[in-house]
Structure formats: C-alpha cells, structure tokens
C-alpha cells in the first residue's frame, strides 16, 4: 500500500491556525493593536468599517520594518520577539508566536505599508490568499499601517457565523478598551464608519479610565495599590454601590496583558462581600506586575488565560489590597466629603439647646493621616480640603452623638440583651452611601438597607389586602395608555381586581391596551409602564406561594414601587421607614430573602479594631 501522509501546504496550515487565532473581526483588531504596542508606538489609530467586515485598519508610529522583514512577517512562525525557548520565560511583549499575521493573511486581503525611522523609503506589501501580489518600495510615514479588507472572504462558513454588526462592534470595542487600559501612555483613537468612537490622549491610568468610560467614573473609582515581593498591584476598584448585575467592566492585567482569571476575580468580589448585593460584579481595573518567569502565558492560543506559580499568595494579597482601599476611601466615614451626602448628617434642631461636648477627643486628629502620607495616586491635591472639611463634619457628628448620650443614657451602653431591638423613638438616624440607614440601638448599631426595607414594607402591605380595604391610589394627572403584547395583556387583565385592591387604578382598553389612571399611593415609581413590566415579569416568574397570583403581584409592585438605593432620604422619611419596617411580620429580610437589616454589637465593632 502506498504512503498516505503528506505535509499540509503552508496556506492550508495557516488557515487552520487562523481558525484558532482569528475568530472574528475583534481578533484581528487585538492582534494588530498588540503588534503596534510591541513596536513601541506612541500613537495608534484604529479605523473600522461595517463592524470590521469590510475594513480594519491599524496605523502606528512604531519602529516599522525593514523591506526584508516586511515580506517575512507574514510567514508562519515569523517573529522578532523570541529567539529560543529560554526566551519564553521572560516575555514582556504581547505577541511571540509569530502566527497572527500569517493567519490574518490567509483569511483576508491585506495591505501593509511600513517605514523604519532612519529610512527614506518604506515598503508596501499586498497579500491575497497565499500570494504576495505586490512587494515594493514606496513613500510611507514612519511606522506601520495595516489594512485588512473583506475578512473571511474565502471562508464563507466563518463569515456566516459572524453575529450582528452591533455584537461584532462590541467585541472590537472590548479589545480596544483592554489595550487602551493597559497602555495609558499611548495615544489611541478609534473610528467606526466615519464616526470617532474614542479619542484618547496620553495620561494617567485614571485619565484613561475616565476617557474610556466617561467623567462620572472619576467619582466611582478608588485607587488600589500594594507592593510586595511576589506581586505589585495597582489600579482601581469601583465603589461597591456602583456594582452591576451584568459583567463587562472587570479588567485584570498581568504585566500589561489583559487576562481573565476566575480566582482573582473572586478575590476582588470577596473583598467586597457584604458591600455589594449577591450576584453583582464590581467594576475594577487592576494591574498586576509579576516577574515573567512566574507566569505561564502559553496555555491558550488567544492568551487570556494564564497560570501563576504563586496563585494563592497573589489571591490573598489582592484581596487584602482591595479591602485596604475600601477601608481608606469608602467604608470609613472619611469618605469623600466633597461628594454630597456620602454621609448625611441630620441637621440639628434649631430649638434644641446644644450641649458642649465633654468627650475627650481631639477633633483635629485624623486617623488616616499616616496612610495619606503614602501618597495615593489621584488624592494628592485633595488633602487640605479633606482635613478642614472632615474635622468640621466630625465635630458636628460628635455633638449629635453626645446629645443622644445625654438624653438616653442607656442607649449606647454595652448591653447585649437583645439584638432584635428597634431603634428608640427619636434616636438619631442618618443615611450612608445613599443606601443605608444607620441607627443606634440598645445593643449597638443597626444598619438598614433602604431598598430592601421598603420592598418588605410594600410587599407585606400589598399581601395583606383582603378585598375589603382598598389601598389608596394616587391619581395620575394624565392617565397613561400602555400597549402590551397580547400575552402580557391577558396576564394583567386576569389579575385586574387584585391590582385594583393594591391601589393600582388600571382598566382594560381594547385588545392590547391598558389605561392606568392611578398608582399605589406609596409608589416611588411614577412610570406606569415600568411598573407594569415588573408586575408582568413577576407573574411570569411565579414562585412558590400559597397565593401565587397575589404574591407575584405584590413582588412586582414592591420591586417597582420601592425606594431605590441611591435616593437621598430625609430624616422624617427614614424614621417612618423604620417604624413601618418594624410593623412588618418579617422586618429582617426583603421579600426576595435578602437581608434588610444588619446589626453590629460593640464586640463586632471592636473586632474591626484589632
Ligand atoms: P508575533 O507578534 O507573535 O511576533 P505576528 O504575526 O503578530 O507575530 O507578527 C510577526 C512579526 O512582524 C513581529 O514579530 C514583528 O517583528 C513584525 N510586526 C508585526 N506588526 C508590526 C508593527 N505594527 N510594527 C513593526 N513590526 C511589526
Ligand atoms: Mg503579534
């Protein structure tokens, strides 16, 4: 029998490799951007058309290539970045496999112009399929420009598997963001179909975050910084209150390479345990610097998964670094006093005689001053305002505490009798982080999640409708007409009577429409459409309950109508909320089972000071 094994032609081998390396337009973007970074670019321009299907162009002002290299770079395993296997253990560049350009050239029409800085002429190479159709000297600016046209023109199956333009563009933006975050010292821009999507000048990491995600992120992030022998950690964590259900704002870099790492993600999330709702993901941009020989980046062709020698140590250091910054910038009430109402101190009653505080404290003493000296990036300019403002706020705060102490001597004592105690009438309560109500109780301190608490209240009130007592409706100035899908319409209509009982003044109107004339009096949500949406969802979700219909309605209404986290509450509102919460059967939990109240005994507190 004759021999049957043959070597694959290069072109076929490249196409097979391309299947791994180039899955979609975003993969091309990633490879070209990374090559530009590796070439030492100070400025990179990305231009795409039709989500990268028609054109992906990357222009850099990096080192450029000699005429010979310009031809060679499209060969498989052609790389300038490693010479032998030892080099694999000291990789500082993005690429090293020499596969990307060969792969791209096998599935697209590529044109490249490149010129080295000390040369007068550049080189132009044009490649289509396996063939170099052009390779000649040309005029070119310093650096390199790649134009990749008609991706997958010769692999129709791949082309068909691409998602909508919107999805593919999203992937491209993700890659762009990753490279941009890793290299704030490189100016970068992106255009899509003639529109500028990003325009990033060089700057600090914080400026880069703000340039990519918007000005409001300046307020939302706190710096993280820790240096140890094993790893250096820098970057930012999003404040817990801005965590989200959806992922997508988690950026972890190792030696400036974006990676995904389940354990390290967990380290960040677990540092915020108790501060973010279960299932939410905090935003973060964390840069780890590790000796490259302790990192194995070679386990995956697209290199977002990485192995570490000291994984557990890094995990612990990362978690404690995040905790430390939360302590410095977030959890302690030395929050940013310039940002309004991060700590809402109730105004003092004018008629109340103000007792001069006798407590022996030094109001100028700033427990965080030592830490401040360590010069946290981005905080340098703030110190003086911080001191002045903080000591003023602290003075007021002590006065309030002092008054309470005098009026109710037992209140702050260390009695551990009963943790389930409602705060005393008239106890000073205040709001923290626009989400938590803090009140002293006999046995210590109580912290109430305003949203969970209000949901509990509304849920029980809606559940306790017995048909005879109708909840008050708050009439809308203009009745709202809502159009629903036939299915949703039918669902609501079948619960019309119950809804009316709950104060939802709603009527059927034609085959698919509803007219809403009034909402439950207690509702914080004035948009009837959104409220109906939540009710429909709750009805569809169902759930275990002896009165499933009523339960679902009450859940939907409670979710839709409740106070949200982020809302500033007045003193009277907070007091009313506490009163009504403690009138509930189950004050300690929201209707979905999340905790509504957390208490801290003096022991809990003292353990924080160890
Ligand atoms: P790798 O990046 O793994 O080395 P690539 O196929 O991406 O492999 O690139 C092959 C080689 O082409 C690189 O090693 C580099 O020498 C050269 N090259 C690619 N892009 C550029 C660029 N933008 N500027 C200068 N040289 C480049
Ligand atoms: Mg490369």
């Amino acid at each position: 029998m004759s021999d049957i094994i043959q070597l694959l032609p290069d072109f076929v081998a490249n196409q097979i490799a391309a299947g791994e390396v180039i899955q979609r337009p975003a993969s091309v973007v990633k490879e070209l951007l990374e090559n530009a970074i590796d070439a030492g670019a100070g400025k990179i321009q990305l231009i795409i058309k039709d989500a990268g299907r028609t054109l992906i162009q990357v222009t850099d002002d990096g080192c450029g290539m000699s005429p010979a290299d310009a031809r060679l770079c499209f060969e498989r395993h052609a790389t300038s970045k490693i010479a032998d296997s030892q080099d694999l253990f000291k990789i500082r560049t993005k690429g090293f496999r020499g596969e990307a350009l060969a792969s791209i050239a096998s599935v697209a029409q590529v044109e490249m112009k490149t010129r080295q800085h000390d040369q007068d002429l550049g080189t132009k190479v044009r490649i289509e399929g396996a063939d170099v159709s052009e390779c000649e000297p040309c005029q070119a600016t310093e650096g390199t420009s790649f134009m990749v046209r008609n991706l997958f023109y010769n692999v129709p199956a791949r082309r068909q598997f691409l998602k909508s333009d919107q999805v593919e563009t999203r992937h491209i933006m993700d890659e762009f963001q990753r490279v941009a975050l890793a290299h704030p010292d490189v100016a970068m821009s992106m255009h899509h179909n003639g529109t500028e999507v990003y325009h990033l000048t060089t700057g600090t990491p914080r400026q880069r975050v703000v340039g990519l995600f918007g000005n409001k992120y300046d307020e939302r992030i706190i710096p993280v910084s820790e240096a140890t022998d094993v790893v250096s950690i820098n970057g930012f964590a999003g404040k817990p209150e801005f965590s989200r259900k959806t992922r997508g704002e988690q950026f972890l870099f190792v030696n400036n390479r974006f990676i995904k790492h389940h354990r390290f993600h967990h380290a960040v999330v677990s540092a915020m345990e108790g501060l973010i709702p279960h299932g939410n993901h905090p935003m973060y941009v964390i840069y780890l610097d590790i000796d490259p020989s302790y990192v194995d980046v070679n386990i995956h062709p697209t290199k977002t998964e990485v192995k570490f020698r000291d994984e557990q140590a890094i995990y612990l250091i990362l978690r404690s670094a995040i905790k430390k910054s939360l302590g410095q910038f977030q959890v302690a009430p030395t929050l940013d006093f310039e940002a309004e109402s991060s700590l809402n101190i109730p105004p003092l009653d004018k008629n109340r005689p103000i007792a001069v505080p006798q407590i022996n404290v030094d109001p100028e003493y700033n427990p965080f001053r030592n830490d401040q000296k360590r010069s946290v990036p981005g905080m340098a300019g703030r110190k003086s305002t911080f001191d002045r403002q903080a000591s003023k706020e602290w003075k007021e705060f002590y006065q309030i505490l002092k008054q309470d102490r005098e009026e109710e001597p037992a209140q702050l004592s260390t009695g551990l009798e009963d943790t389930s105690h409602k705060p005393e009438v008239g106890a000073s309560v205040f709001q923290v982080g626009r989400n938590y109500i803090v009140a002293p109780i006999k046995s210590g301190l109580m912290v109430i999640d305003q949203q969970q608490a209000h949901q509990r209240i509304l849920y029980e009130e809606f559940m306790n409708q017995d048909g005879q007592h109708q909840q008050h409706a708050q009439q809308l100035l203009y009745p709202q007409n809502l159009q629903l899908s036939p299915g949703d319409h039918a669902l609501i209509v079948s619960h019309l009577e119950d809804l009316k009982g709950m104060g939802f003044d709603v009527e059927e109107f034609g085959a698919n429409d509803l007219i809403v004339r009034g909402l439950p009096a207690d509702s914080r949500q004035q948009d009837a459409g959104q409220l109906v949406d939540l009710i429909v969802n709750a009805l569809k979700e169902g759930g275990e309950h002896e009165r499933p219909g009523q339960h679902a309605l009450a859940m939907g209404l409670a979710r839709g109508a409740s106070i949200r986290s982020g809302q500033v509450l007045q003193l009277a509102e907070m007091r009313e909320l506490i009163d009504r919460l403690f009138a509930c059967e189950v004050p300690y939990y929201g209707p979905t089972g999340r905790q509504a109240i957390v208490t801290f005994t003096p022991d809990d507190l003292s353990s924080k000071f160890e």
Side-chain angles (χ1 to χ4, degrees):
M1 216 174 146
S2 60
D3 300 331
I4 51 172
I5 295 182
Q6 19 175 316
L7 284 176
L8 290 175
D10 270 358
F11 176 64
V12 178
N14 287 346
Q15 270 202 351
I16 294 171
E20 269 189 283
V21 184
I22 308 298
Q23 284 134 0
R24 52 179 11 132
S27 333
V28 175
V29 169
K30 172 181 191 289
E31 295 297 339
L32 295 183
L33 290 179
E34 291 189 347
N35 279 347
I37 295 284
D38 285 345
K43 189 172 165 195
I44 304 176
Q45 227 187 341
L46 167 66
I47 297 174
I48 57 170
K49 288 211 176 102
D50 306 321
R53 286 171 221 267
T54 317
L55 173 73
I56 298 166
Q57 180 175 0
V58 172
T59 305
D60 68 57
D61 62 354
C63 63
M65 282 179 259
S66 69
D69 284 355
R71 171 65 195 86
L72 200 60
C73 70
F74 293 102
E75 293 295 327
R76 193 138 180 245
H77 305 311
T79 181
S80 54
K81 298 168 193 174
I82 52 174
D84 61 36
S85 64
Q86 279 311 303
D87 290 346
L88 273 176
F89 300 101
K90 33 184 194 252
I91 288 168
R92 283 275 178 192
T93 52
K94 307 278 174 185
F96 57 86
R97 298 159 159 263
E99 265 178 351
L101 293 180
S103 300
I104 294 170
S106 74
V107 291
Q109 296 150 346
V110 181
E111 187 184 314
M112 178 190 73
K113 278 187 189 176
T114 185
R115 175 159 78 88
Q116 290 178 306
H117 288 223
D118 55 0
Q119 299 294 312
D120 294 332
L121 271 186
T123 311
K124 178 170 164 186
V125 177
R126 205 198 279 261
I127 277 202
E128 188 168 331
D131 308 317
V132 176
S133 57
E134 198 180 328
C135 180
E136 57 194 29
C138 74
Q139 297 288 336
T141 45
E142 290 175 347
T144 306
S145 177
F146 280 92
M147 278 197 239
V148 176
R149 295 185 207 276
N150 303 320
L151 183 63
F152 300 136
Y153 76 103
N154 54 354
V155 202
R158 287 231 150 222
R159 207 172 165 88
Q160 266 162 27
F161 271 108
L162 293 182
K163 301 272 169 33
S164 69
D165 274 12
Q166 210 186 344
V167 172
E168 295 302 337
T169 308
R170 183 69 247 164
H171 282 291
I172 290 173
M173 286 166 69
D174 284 348
E175 295 297 351
F176 182 89
Q177 288 178 354
R178 292 167 185 177
V179 175
L181 284 171
H183 299 279
D185 50 340
V186 178
M188 289 180 67
S189 67
M190 170 174 166
H191 286 77
H192 185 207
N193 291 338
T195 309
E196 187 170 74
V197 185
Y198 291 112
H199 180 93
L200 306 169
T201 51
T202 59
T204 62
R206 180 180 278 272
Q207 286 166 335
R208 185 52 50 107
V209 170
V210 169
L212 279 170
F213 302 117
N215 288 336
K216 52 184 188 296
Y217 276 75
D218 198 24
E219 300 263 297
R220 293 188 176 182
I221 56 175
I222 55 175
V224 177
S225 150
E226 187 72 72
T228 68
D229 290 345
V230 182
V231 58
S232 267
I233 300 176
N234 285 290
F236 306 98
K239 293 181 183 172
E241 66 260 39
F242 298 109
S243 68
R244 295 199 182 149
K245 282 256 169 305
T246 48
R247 291 184 67 156
E249 293 189 327
Q250 289 74 39
F251 297 91
L252 187 64
F253 300 90
V254 173
N255 300 342
N256 285 348
R257 182 196 297 278
F258 173 84
I259 63 156
K260 287 183 181 156
H261 199 282
H262 182 71
R263 289 276 295 149
F264 295 167
H265 174 70
H266 186 267
V268 180
V269 174
S270 79
M272 298 197 185
E273 204 179 332
L275 296 172
I276 54 174
H278 188 70
N280 269 27
H281 305 282
M283 184 261 186
Y284 56 82
V285 180
I286 300 282
Y287 305 93
L288 306 181
D289 258 293
I290 304 175
D291 180 340
S293 64
Y294 284 39
V295 184
D296 180 2
V297 288
N298 205 7
I299 61 169
H300 193 275
T302 55
K303 294 168 290 191
T304 49
E305 278 143 41
V306 172
K307 269 201 221 152
F308 296 89
R309 204 195 280 179
D310 286 322
E311 186 174 301
Q312 182 60 11
I314 298 170
Y315 176 94
L316 293 173
I317 297 167
L318 176 57
R319 192 176 64 180
S320 85
I322 303 272
K323 281 194 174 177
K324 191 176 84 181
S325 355
L326 288 172
Q328 272 176 320
F329 297 98
Q330 171 74 25
V331 175
T334 52
L335 296 174
D336 191 354
F337 283 110
E338 286 153 342
E340 269 183 358
S341 64
S342 47
L343 175 63
N344 277 336
I345 295 179
L348 295 174
D349 184 345
K350 266 200 245 105
N351 302 321
R352 212 170 174 187
I354 296 182
V356 180
Q358 299 299 311
I359 306 172
N360 206 2
V361 292
D362 172 8
E364 301 304 329
Y365 173 64
N366 172 1
F368 296 92
R369 189 159 291 154
N370 281 341
D371 290 339
Q372 289 256 320
K373 274 203 195 112
R374 263 194 258 146
S375 121
V376 186
M379 289 298 287
R382 290 188 163 185
K383 194 168 178 295
S384 58
T385 4
F386 169 89
D387 280 350
R388 220 178 328 111
Q389 279 276 4
S391 78
K392 181 167 154 274
E393 306 264 4
W394 276 113
K395 271 184 200 156
E396 286 175 27
F397 189 53
Y398 282 127
Q399 275 171 357
I400 292 161
L401 282 185
K402 176 79 173 90
Q403 281 167 7
D404 282 329
R405 217 176 260 201
E406 280 171 359
E407 282 168 15
E408 288 153 343
Q411 201 168 67
L412 292 176
S413 76
T414 55
L416 283 170
E417 320 83 57
D418 185 6
T419 47
S420 64
H421 231 293
K422 173 186 166 182
E424 302 291 323
V425 179
S428 65
V429 296
F430 56 90
Q431 192 189 27
V432 177
R434 301 189 186 186
N435 191 36
Y436 302 103
I437 301 169
V438 180
I441 51 173
K442 280 210 177 95
S443 55
L445 199 62
M446 172 173 282
V447 182
I448 298 170
D449 180 315
Q450 63 190 44
Q451 183 170 354
Q452 294 302 321
H454 197 214
Q455 286 187 4
R456 162 56 59 187
I457 294 166
L458 294 175
Y459 174 78
E460 291 201 8
E461 286 178 0
F462 291 137
M463 281 306 279
N464 290 335
Q465 290 313 299
D466 52 12
Q468 275 142 37
H469 305 95
Q470 289 226 333
Q471 282 269 26
H472 283 304
Q474 159 197 359
Q475 293 305 316
L476 292 172
L477 214 48
Y478 303 102
Q480 291 183 27
N481 191 341
L482 305 178
Q483 199 171 37
L484 274 68
S485 71
D488 292 356
H489 186 260
L491 207 54
I492 291 286
V493 167
S494 64
H495 291 91
L496 226 44
E497 284 317 303
D498 282 338
L499 279 169
K500 283 185 181 158
M502 294 173 174
F504 207 99
D505 189 350
V506 57
E507 273 168 42
E508 221 181 323
F509 184 72
N512 291 332
D513 287 22
L514 295 175
I515 286 209
V516 181
R517 297 182 198 284
L519 301 177
D522 214 21
S523 178
R524 293 291 177 132
Q525 172 64 268
Q526 294 297 313
D527 182 338
Q530 291 200 15
L531 214 48
V532 167
D533 262 0
L534 280 163
I535 294 169
V536 168
N537 281 343
L539 284 169
K540 286 178 184 165
E541 270 170 28
E544 297 273 307
H545 203 275
E546 56 194 59
R547 290 182 293 160
Q550 179 108 0
H551 165 76
L553 290 179
M555 283 296 271
L557 273 176
R559 272 187 213 157
S562 74
I563 295 170
R564 297 291 145 93
S565 62
Q567 283 178 7
V568 176
L569 298 182
Q570 300 307 312
L571 189 59
E573 289 178 296
M574 293 192 268
R575 292 213 162 118
E576 191 200 308
L577 195 82
I578 292 174
D579 276 346
R580 287 168 66 192
L581 180 61
F582 281 91
C584 288
E585 271 172 49
V586 193
Y588 278 76
Y589 294 92
T592 51
R594 288 235 205 98
Q595 257 181 306
I597 299 176
V598 177
T599 55
F600 295 92
T601 64
D603 280 353
D604 293 336
L605 295 176
S606 71
S607 73
K608 291 269 174 209
F609 290 91
E610 271 157 14

